[in-house]
Amino acid sequence: MKPRTRWEAVCTVDDLVPESGIAVWTEEGPVAVFYLPHRLPALFAISHTDPFSGANVLARGITGDLKGEPVVASPLYKQHFSLRTGICLEDDTVRVKTYPVLLDGNQIRLEVRANQQTSIAA
Amino acid sequence: MSKKTLIVIGNGMVGHHFLEQFCASPAAADFEIIVFGEEKQLAYDRVHLSEYFGGSTHADLAMGTLEWYTEQGIQLHLNEQVTGINRENRTLETPRGSYRYDELVLATGSYPFVPPIEGNDRPHCLVYRTLDDLDAIRASSEGARAGVVVGGGLLGLEAANALKSLGLEAHVVEFAPRLMPVQLDADGGALLRHKIEELGVQVHTEKATTAITEGEDARLRMDFSDESFLETDLIVFSAGIRPQDALARASGLEIGERGGIVINNHCTTSDPHVHAIGECALWEQKIFGLVAPGYTMARTLSAALNGDRELAFTGADMSTKLKLLGVDVGSIGDAHAQTPGARNIRFNDEQAGHYRRMVISEDGKTLLGAILVGDNSHYDTLLQYALNGITLPENPETLILPESQGGAPALGPDALPETASICSCHNVTKGDICGAIDAGCSDLGSVKAETKASTGCGGCTALLKNVVDSELEKRGVEVSKDLCEHFPYSRQELFHIVKVNGIRTFHTLISQHGKGHGCDICKPAVASILATCWNEHILATDHVPLQDTNDTFMANMQKNGTYSIVPRIPGGEITPDKLIVLGEVAKEYDLYTKITGGQRVDLFGATLSQLPEIWEKLIAAGFETGHAYGKSLRTVKSCVGNTWCRYGVQDSVGMAIRLEDRYKGLRAPHKVKMAVSGCTRECAEAQSKDFGVIATENGWNLYVCGNGGMRPRHADLFATDLSDEELIRTIDRVVMFYVRTADRLQRTSVWMENLEGGLEYLKQVVLEDSLGIGAELEEHMEGIVGTYQCEWKTAVEDPEKRKRFREFVNAPSQTDPVQEWTVERGQRRPVLESA
């Protein structure tokens, strides 16, 4: 059975930086949200934690595409992570968590695990 | 069929090489192999023995591993001395037992010759051959002040180096009138002596030691035949080697008059089942005391044991190239011109300390031999002429003249015949290298792995690279200059496109001249080009996503995601008040504080959100950004100069500050470092910088394209006795020409080396304005200087830009949970270990 989830509002459109990422704090911890205005979809969300260093830095990496795949490069050791799947292009045994993300009016929402105590309504 | 037994006595470099060759051959399947080594260690690299005192261990010097011996099924008996051979029964004896052989290989090497001098067996009289010997020398050096090496040959000078590295006052005592009498002539020997004495080794030639007795002021006293004497605490005999032929002699094998086990062209002794290789073997009355001929014998014998009688040992080239105590020495072929009719050409630059001699045939067509002291850069070319009998040019002297005096450039790899031996240790020819490339090797590394070339002494590394590069180029293998998959242009071409078309954003550039959305290679490169061309703020909206994180946040990211801050301290000059502010800020934010190599202060451990707050305080105290995060000018290091120093001849601090203020903030293909020294003592280490300025009585000397770091390079003297204005104009031009033409992440040193025409071309462009762009380069630089802004000042004053420094945009009070700290030596440091 799929665990219960909820769509958490994490920031507004004004917080986003075009062609780059920002970090937000969620109940599941730090998440990086990227806004690539020249692509469809334009919003991506992956874990902010760089699995190679353990540091919370992925939102501060350079975005781009490699052979068409949207990616972010870790600012520490420069590995590339697919923004769609979270898979590391240099080492496909490493994968960061990805989050469904949507634009709701002016709000950016992420689908995160629902805490037992929290209501499913956001 | 039961297997036969092959026994190898001796586990040195040649014995090991033989095993490597033989185990890889078909005959290995027919033999049980037993190896006896007298030393307790596995075969090690004796050529680099002196590195043992430089910190190398047996493991660093080892030729193979125990695992390899196990894998090959070799029975290895180390520390077990063979005491007798019975050739009739084909057995041999050791203190532990008796062993039967079918084939026996003697690779017993040599032992150091100790001259028959009275007292040579006293304590602290030592030799230099094995790791045990070196341990004994080290033990003897405890409490010793001075040490003497008897013998001024190749090994003797190595031993002197070892004594020096143990901190002893080193002396060399040589019987002959000069050092290295076998390899060098009088002039070469004199120059080598001069150079070695400059390094603090005392050389005594024409000294015959008559007795060693107890010393008065030191442990020992050496008396010489000319009635002089020398006191020393230890003596190392290195007066030549003698073949270790005792076992062979006792078993009745044929031995040369002056020692050595007599072998034929297939390395077999007077007994068809006993063979000898390496320094113990005597071929045509000659002993070969170098490793390369020993390896050739090993290969020859391995072939013979496989039934291949084609391969024969036919003597060996005894040319040598080495660095003795840091001094280049090379000797090729008939260095002493003993061939009838041979003629000499000598080049002797006492000023530079370079001596070169060519010995050429009577008809002037072939090179017979050569001697080099002080500079081995001509060695490879001369060796190829000598070994391959390549016809000398009409004016052969051009081969040893400096290029500035009409000297010919080094022999290109194309001029070498297929048979030219590139690596003599492993006998790899140019043809072998071409073969490896044709079989699929596509770079230097794979050619080395395939052919083993350049994995022996390493002397042929540069030559090998030239051959491989040239052969790859011939086959049309081209290194792509494209920046990345998004732009089919080099950085230089993109720079041109941006400049000519007035392009001001990445988006315009990629949609008109590239494809896709860019990546972490092209985005920062384009950001740097845009910054150089238009000098807009790096946090302007269009430029933010192009920058590396360090540029985006104008600080240097550390392993736990926090940043370090380096404020600019021009020329390393700082008032006490400003220094106090740095201390106060560091204390307030608990920042780990360290002095950098560039005379600045680095503050570590600031979180993203603290950066603007910290910079507000620093800016209020008069600090500016130091661009430690950028591919731009870092620092202009300086010594204190003539305002304080009694040796200084110019105001080096003043000039350093002027240069730093002028070039700060300029975006370049890579970081740029500068330094200014106030006199020739060079306390600012300017010659290791991209731009080094050294004061003279008359002005400034400019050095360019030096580098420290991973690939150090001394800067080249570019112009002399410049006035302040001339200096700045010259640097303006070189910097701007570099910024416009260099590749991405190419330091000035590599840029210059890759410029066609090199230093001379750069001088023509900058000093003679051969391209007519001098004024344009200066104007461009003036424009950049005029639009400088402190990026941090602009950032902290703009609320929109400050928004970027929120750690978590939706939770300002949330701290990053992985940033944990511990305290070490009184300061905070991260506990996060990188994976």
Side-chain angles (χ1 to χ4, degrees):
Chain A
M1 195 177 88
K2 197 180 177 234
R4 288 174 64 185
T5 60
R6 67 188 196 97
W7 287 92
E8 183 179 344
V10 290
C11 62
T12 69
V13 170
D14 292 339
D15 292 316
L16 298 174
V17 180
E19 303 289 356
S20 187
I22 52 152
V24 298
W25 187 262
T26 73
E27 284 187 16
E28 287 191 34
V31 175
V33 181
F34 297 90
Y35 174 42
L36 306 184
H38 300 289
R39 295 191 73 96
L40 266 180
L43 285 174
F44 300 90
I46 66 172
S47 164
H48 187 34
T49 308
D50 171 19
F52 292 96
S53 63
N56 290 319
V57 294
L58 288 186
R60 298 178 224 159
I62 295 181
T63 63
D65 64 343
L66 290 178
K67 302 202 166 64
E69 185 71 14
V71 294
V72 62
S74 162
L76 274 168
Y77 300 112
K78 315 297 178 195
Q79 295 92 350
H80 299 90
F81 298 92
S82 162
L83 294 176
R84 293 188 312 116
T85 64
I87 293 173
C88 173
L89 270 55
E90 283 78 15
D91 179 355
D92 61 14
T93 64
V94 176
R95 182 174 192 165
V96 296
K97 187 163 186 203
T98 56
Y99 296 84
V101 54
L102 60 79
L103 181 65
D104 172 13
N106 197 29
Q107 292 284 318
I108 308 297
R109 289 180 188 272
L110 297 182
E111 188 181 22
V112 295
R113 252 196 331 273
N115 196 318
Q116 292 304 323
Q117 285 86 45
T118 336
S119 142
I120 53 163
Chain B
M1 189 186 86
S2 72
K3 283 191 178 183
K4 293 183 282 184
T5 303
L6 172 81
I7 293 185
V8 181
I9 305 179
N11 188 229
M13 295 177 79
V14 171
H16 178 79
H17 191 76
F18 167 76
L19 291 170
E20 278 190 342
Q21 299 292 321
F22 187 70
C23 289
S25 75
D30 303 334
F31 285 92
E32 292 286 348
I33 304 174
I34 307 176
V35 177
F36 292 96
E38 193 178 285
E39 292 183 60
K40 32 184 201 292
Q41 301 93 347
L42 206 56
Y44 52 85
D45 182 355
R46 251 184 256 281
V47 177
H48 295 102
L49 202 56
S50 64
E51 291 170 15
Y52 191 57
F53 287 149
S56 288
T57 62
H58 170 255
D60 298 326
L61 296 173
M63 310 288 299
T65 61
L66 279 177
E67 289 76 43
W68 183 81
Y69 279 80
T70 313
E71 275 165 28
Q72 305 298 325
I74 298 172
Q75 279 186 48
L76 184 62
H77 297 248
L78 291 178
N79 204 10
E80 187 169 346
Q81 189 178 9
V82 177
T83 51
I85 302 170
N86 183 331
R87 292 195 289 118
E88 212 162 299
N89 302 334
R90 292 199 206 156
T91 57
L92 53 82
E93 307 297 323
T94 81
R96 290 189 212 151
S98 176
Y99 303 83
R100 212 193 153 277
Y101 67 82
D102 294 291
E103 300 291 335
L104 178 64
V105 178
L106 300 169
T108 46
S110 61
Y111 64 91
F113 169 64
V114 178
I117 301 166
E118 185 193 329
N120 65 12
D121 53 351
R122 283 177 167 269
H124 302 290
C125 289
L126 308 159
V127 293
Y128 181 86
R129 167 85 186 164
T130 65
L131 288 177
D132 285 348
D133 295 337
L134 264 66
D135 285 335
I137 292 172
R138 197 199 304 262
S140 174
S141 74
E142 293 290 325
R145 191 185 59 82
V148 168
V149 175
V150 177
L154 200 155
L155 275 174
L157 295 177
E158 282 276 338
N161 191 28
L163 293 185
K164 202 164 151 274
S165 60
L166 285 169
L168 298 182
E169 176 190 304
H171 297 257
V172 173
V173 171
E174 166 60 46
F175 178 74
R178 61 173 182 273
L179 294 173
M180 296 187 69
V182 180
Q183 292 90 355
L184 299 184
D185 58 7
D187 286 343
L191 176 61
L192 178 63
R193 173 185 187 144
H194 176 70
K195 287 191 166 245
I196 283 175
E197 285 181 335
E198 270 186 348
L199 295 165
V201 175
Q202 298 183 38
V203 179
H204 314 271
T205 49
E206 293 187 84
K207 292 282 182 200
T209 314
T210 51
I212 297 165
T213 54
E214 197 171 316
E216 274 182 34
D217 300 323
R219 293 173 188 153
L220 301 166
R221 170 189 163 119
M222 299 171 74
D223 288 314
F224 303 121
S225 56
D226 60 1
E227 313 229 314
S228 61
F229 71 95
L230 181 62
E231 296 227 333
T232 177
D233 294 305
L234 66 99
I235 298 172
V236 177
F237 290 103
S238 187
I241 55 163
R242 294 290 181 270
Q244 183 56 274
D245 55 14
L247 270 178
R249 195 184 289 268
S251 68
L253 285 171
E254 187 186 345
I255 302 292
E257 241 171 76
R258 294 163 61 195
I261 308 163
V262 175
I263 58 166
N264 64 17
N265 289 359
H266 300 284
C267 302
T268 300
T269 68
S270 53
D271 178 330
H273 295 288
V274 182
H275 320 274
I277 52 177
E279 291 176 342
C280 65
L282 183 74
W283 179 86
E284 298 208 340
Q285 301 300 319
K286 284 194 281 266
I287 295 282
F288 296 87
L290 290 177
V291 71
Y295 282 4
T296 308
M297 291 183 197
R299 281 191 295 273
T300 307
L301 176 58
S302 175
L305 291 171
N306 277 276
D308 172 5
R309 312 290 286 183
E310 293 268 303
L311 199 61
F313 182 77
T314 53
D317 170 51
M318 294 298 279
S319 302
T320 38
K321 167 170 90 165
L322 20 97
K323 232 182 188 29
L324 289 167
L325 294 138
V327 181
D328 277 348
V329 177
S331 174
I332 294 173
D334 180 12
H336 292 295
Q338 284 161 344
T339 310
R343 293 181 302 171
N344 293 288
I345 302 175
R346 289 187 178 86
F347 170 81
N348 196 354
D349 181 346
E350 291 184 4
Q351 180 67 23
H354 295 169
Y355 175 72
R356 301 193 266 280
R357 167 179 173 175
M358 287 165 68
V359 179
I360 59 177
S361 61
E362 196 169 9
D363 61 7
K365 288 204 171 125
T366 47
L367 182 69
L368 303 171
I371 291 173
L372 302 168
V373 177
D375 172 17
N376 265 347
S377 57
H378 299 71
Y379 182 89
D380 288 343
T381 294
L382 293 175
L383 183 66
Q384 293 303 332
Y385 272 104
L387 286 185
N388 299 304
I390 299 171
T391 305
L392 287 166
E394 205 167 316
N395 306 309
E397 68 275 10
T398 56
L399 291 179
I400 54 171
L401 282 176
E403 274 192 55
S404 58
Q405 291 173 32
L411 192 59
D414 279 354
L416 298 175
E418 291 284 299
T419 52
S421 167
I422 305 298
C423 169
S424 53
C425 290
H426 291 284
N427 193 29
V428 183
T429 62
K430 181 181 167 190
D432 296 334
I433 290 162
C434 297
I437 290 172
D438 289 335
C441 295
S442 58
D443 57 23
L444 184 61
S446 53
V447 170
K448 278 169 82 169
E450 177 66 27
T451 62
K452 288 197 142 195
S454 197
T455 61
C457 71
C460 62
T461 311
L463 181 62
L464 177 68
K465 184 178 184 313
N466 281 340
V467 172
V468 170
D469 285 354
S470 142
E471 291 302 319
L472 285 174
E473 212 163 282
K474 265 195 228 160
R475 286 161 179 73
V477 177
E478 200 181 320
V479 181
S480 167
K481 289 256 177 181
D482 293 359
L483 199 57
C484 65
E485 68 177 64
H486 304 101
F487 288 102
Y489 301 104
S490 68
R491 182 187 182 275
Q492 186 181 346
E493 289 163 340
L494 276 180
F495 191 100
H496 193 71
I497 291 170
V498 167
K499 186 90 187 158
V500 169
N501 298 304
I503 291 171
R504 284 177 175 259
T505 69
F506 179 81
H507 190 65
T508 315
L509 184 66
I510 198 166
S511 46
Q512 290 177 6
H513 300 277
K515 58 172 197 235
H517 299 273
C519 66
D520 55 315
I521 304 288
C522 59
K523 282 181 169 181
V526 171
S528 163
I529 293 171
L530 292 172
T532 310
C533 286
W534 318 120
N535 215 22
E536 292 171 358
H537 195 280
I538 57 166
L539 292 196
T541 321
D542 285 332
H543 302 161
V544 166
L546 304 182
Q547 317 282 350
D548 262 321
T549 187
N550 287 355
D551 273 291
T552 307
F553 299 105
M554 300 182 293
N556 291 46
M557 184 184 272
Q558 305 299 324
K559 61 196 271 188
N560 65 348
T562 62
Y563 290 86
S564 85
I565 296 168
V566 185
R568 188 165 292 289
I569 302 178
E573 182 184 84
I574 186 164
T575 64
D577 281 337
K578 280 179 123 179
L579 199 53
I580 287 168
V581 171
L582 288 184
E584 283 172 350
V585 168
K587 200 166 173 183
E588 179 178 349
Y589 290 90
D590 200 3
L591 302 175
Y592 168 85
T593 305
K594 190 174 189 311
I595 307 293
T596 71
Q599 304 183 333
R600 317 205 273 189
V601 180
D602 206 342
L603 310 173
F604 290 79
T607 64
L608 192 58
S609 52
Q610 286 171 342
L611 289 173
E613 294 171 33
I614 291 172
W615 269 106
E616 264 179 343
K617 293 178 187 185
L618 293 173
I619 288 166
F623 283 104
E624 288 185 324
T625 180
H627 294 103
Y629 45 83
K631 305 290 178 234
S632 52
L633 175 73
R634 294 292 169 85
T635 178
V636 184
K637 189 174 174 176
S638 69
C639 68
V640 75
N642 69 354
T643 40
W644 289 90
C645 174
R646 62 205 155 109
Y647 298 116
V649 293
Q650 303 283 351
D651 176 13
S652 48
V653 179
M655 180 51 77
I657 293 173
R658 187 167 168 194
L659 293 179
E660 188 154 346
D661 278 336
R662 183 170 184 81
Y663 301 112
K664 65 189 178 189
L666 170 77
R667 288 308 200 268
H670 209 309
K671 61 187 170 188
V672 175
K673 296 183 176 183
M674 301 190 186
V676 184
S677 277
C679 77
T680 55
R681 283 174 183 72
E682 243 285 67
C683 295
E685 297 163 335
Q687 290 168 94
S688 65
K689 306 296 185 201
D690 298 277
F691 294 86
V693 179
I694 300 177
T696 69
E697 296 284 347
N698 309 313
W700 308 97
N701 283 354
L702 174 63
Y703 292 77
V704 298
C705 305
N707 205 357
M710 191 154 67
R711 193 173 158 278
R713 179 182 192 279
H714 260 266
D716 290 304
L717 181 60
F718 194 72
T720 54
D721 290 333
L722 301 171
S723 68
D724 289 7
E725 303 314 317
E726 285 169 338
L727 174 68
I728 283 172
R729 195 172 71 223
T730 310
I731 298 178
D732 273 4
R733 289 184 178 191
V734 182
V735 168
M736 200 40 82
F737 192 54
Y738 162 64
V739 168
R740 287 185 172 201
T741 59
D743 266 337
R744 171 185 165 268
L745 297 185
Q746 192 174 43
R747 290 290 296 267
T748 56
S749 56
V750 181
W751 167 69
M752 208 265 280
E753 282 166 6
N754 284 299
L755 266 186
E756 219 159 294
L759 182 67
E760 287 309 312
Y761 173 71
L762 188 59
K763 281 184 178 171
Q764 286 164 16
V765 171
V766 171
L767 302 176
E768 295 161 28
D769 200 6
S770 61
L771 298 181
I773 57 169
E776 186 192 332
L777 293 174
E778 284 171 41
E779 202 179 309
H780 190 174
M781 183 61 83
E782 280 302 332
I784 288 175
V785 172
T787 53
Y788 170 80
Q789 48 183 325
C790 170
E791 294 149 5
W792 262 113
K793 187 163 189 294
T794 321
V796 297
E797 286 167 358
D798 181 345
E800 269 306 304
K801 291 194 169 82
R802 280 186 80 143
K803 272 172 65 178
R804 279 293 276 158
F805 293 88
R806 293 177 295 174
E807 206 133 35
F808 301 106
V809 301
N810 58 344
S813 58
Q814 176 69 46
T815 55
D816 187 334
V818 302
Q819 289 166 7
E820 292 175 37
W821 306 96
T822 180
V823 171
E824 188 172 69
R825 293 185 294 277
Q827 295 203 73
R828 200 172 68 138
R829 73 160 177 85
V831 289
L832 181 71
E833 290 298 323
S834 59

